[in-house]
Amino acid sequence: MEANDPGAMCREGRLQYDKGDYIRAFEYFTRAAELGDVEAHYNLSVLYDVGEGVEKDEGKEIHHMEEAAIGGHPGARYNLGCHEWNNDNKERAMKHWIIAANLGEDDSIKALMHGFKKGFVSKDDLAATLRAHQAAVNATKSQQREAAEEHYRNHRGQYAS
């Protein structure tokens, strides 16, 4: 692994996590996050949420989730929406979910539909978000990507180290 390569460090952290070595995963994710890796921040938020390799710490969980969301991580943005919803900040939750949906995050659409039914998001905002979500999803589609995903599904487990 090259020194100061945040992507490589994050991938190594993921490998360690998948092996169940949460302490080493935490170390790799921390170094990658220090170098600005958005995925590493998201992974750290998960570790702090569930207490794997670290003590549970909601403050650190939210800090890393916010860093990941600011960096454009759709899952982190969705999770922030859930956090706000659970803390009775419904309008802030809607804003997070709109941003996440605009990034192509599918669960945010379900959350927004629920929010729409409860009167927390307007019909116009929901319609605009649905269009933006579809555009984001379409932007990630290609024949090469679909072929690669099909290949991966057919050969799952062959790539594990």
Side-chain angles (χ1 to χ4, degrees):
M1 172 180 349
E2 290 199 31
N4 296 324
D5 181 346
M9 288 180 196
C10 188
R11 286 187 297 278
E12 184 62 29
R14 187 67 211 186
L15 289 172
Q16 296 304 317
Y17 182 87
D18 290 342
K19 290 179 186 177
D21 189 345
Y22 305 124
I23 293 170
R24 290 201 57 210
F26 173 77
E27 291 168 357
Y28 280 105
F29 291 148
T30 297
R31 183 69 183 124
E34 288 169 352
L35 294 170
D37 190 274
V38 172
E39 187 69 24
H41 277 293
Y42 179 75
N43 291 331
L44 285 170
S45 76
V46 172
L47 291 178
Y48 280 115
D49 177 43
V50 295
E52 292 176 328
V54 295
E55 281 191 44
K56 284 186 170 195
D57 187 322
E58 186 178 12
K60 290 180 181 178
E61 172 199 356
I62 298 302
H63 165 75
H64 288 289
M65 198 182 311
E66 287 173 342
E67 289 295 319
I70 289 166
H73 194 286
R77 187 62 74 171
Y78 169 77
N79 287 347
L80 281 175
C82 294
H83 175 76
E84 294 295 350
W85 182 269
N86 292 334
N87 285 299
D88 209 27
N89 298 319
K90 308 305 189 204
E91 289 182 20
R92 285 186 65 148
M94 294 298 118
K95 290 177 183 179
H96 284 300
W97 288 333
I98 287 170
I99 294 168
N102 289 343
L103 295 170
E105 208 289 322
D106 293 330
D107 289 330
S108 293
I109 294 296
K110 295 173 192 167
L112 286 167
M113 295 299 287
H114 179 74
F116 173 71
K117 290 175 187 174
K118 298 281 187 180
F120 293 110
V121 64
S122 72
K123 184 177 180 179
D124 289 342
D125 286 344
L126 180 62
T129 302
L130 290 171
R131 287 190 298 274
H133 175 266
Q134 190 60 54
V137 169
N138 289 343
T140 64
K141 289 186 179 180
S142 72
Q143 287 182 329
Q144 287 176 320
R145 182 182 298 263
E146 290 172 11
E149 288 172 352
E150 179 67 22
H151 177 80
Y152 177 76
R153 279 191 299 275
N154 291 334
H155 297 90
R156 193 170 306 163
Q158 294 179 4
Y159 301 111
S161 52

